[in-house]
Amino acid sequence: MLDSLMAWLVSTPINGLVLNYAWSWPTLESLHFLALCTLMGSLMIMDLRLIGFNRLIPLQAVHSLMPVAIVSFAINLITGLGFIFGDPHTYFANWAFWAKMILIVLAGLNFLLYYTAVEPKLVRLGPNDATPLLAKGVGALSLIFWFGVLSFGRLLPYLGTGGG
């Protein structure tokens, strides 16, 4: 099944777009990196405030970073798919890639927990109030998951490739 998926990915026009133009891969890399920087910066501010750091920053101001984080994630998703379409055999054979994907899924589930169970409680708090224990846990897990995604993504060329 995975072989069929890889064969299909290689046969698509997206594969040709990614591999047959000199600037495609560097452009994807640049956009991926810039969006990741924006995503991580937004998440650090939001998650650290959830955990309880710097309560001088109002919760509403922190929450206003959510659209920035979502757009940044979407850019990373699109560019990441470009990498997979461009070289599926390398990615699918790499255990670090799969670890990264698992962490992204866990981060997504953690976001759903935030959205359904934490955010409704936060809207009832004052701007500088302490956050509930669940919010602190969601914030800490978010940082753990996303720094894991960042680490495994950066180490993809070095881990799980059998070459070094």
Side-chain angles (χ1 to χ4, degrees):
M1 169 140 163
L2 203 54
D3 288 334
S4 298
L5 176 61
M6 288 188 288
W8 176 78
L9 290 169
V10 170
S11 72
T12 65
I14 298 170
N15 176 271
L17 180 67
V18 170
L19 295 182
N20 295 335
Y21 296 93
W23 284 99
S24 295
W25 198 277
T27 300
L28 288 173
E29 287 276 6
S30 298
L31 291 172
H32 199 76
F33 176 76
L34 291 171
L36 185 61
C37 290
T38 307
L39 175 63
M40 292 302 291
S42 302
L43 289 172
M44 292 259 318
I45 293 168
M46 290 186 293
D47 291 337
L48 288 173
R49 177 59 180 93
L50 277 180
I51 292 169
F53 290 95
N54 207 353
R55 286 183 22 204
L56 297 175
I57 301 173
L59 285 168
Q60 189 61 29
V62 170
H63 183 72
S64 69
L65 291 170
M66 188 66 72
V68 173
I70 291 170
V71 167
S72 298
F73 176 77
I75 292 168
N76 272 299
L77 177 64
I78 292 165
T79 56
L81 286 171
F83 298 139
I84 293 169
F85 272 87
D87 194 6
H89 297 283
T90 297
Y91 286 99
F92 288 175
N94 190 321
W95 67 265
F97 168 77
W98 293 108
K100 179 180 175 177
M101 293 302 105
I102 290 168
L103 288 170
I104 290 172
V105 169
L106 290 173
L109 293 172
N110 192 54
F111 174 74
L112 286 176
L113 179 62
Y114 167 82
Y115 188 73
T116 59
V118 173
E119 187 178 33
K121 292 179 178 145
L122 294 182
V123 297
R124 293 191 294 266
L125 295 176
N128 304 103
D129 287 350
T131 54
L133 186 58
L134 181 60
K136 292 177 190 318
V138 165
L141 283 174
S142 176
L143 289 175
I144 291 167
F145 293 149
W146 283 109
F147 273 100
V149 168
L150 178 70
S151 298
F152 280 115
R154 180 62 197 108
L155 292 171
L156 274 170
Y158 311 105
L159 297 176
T161 60

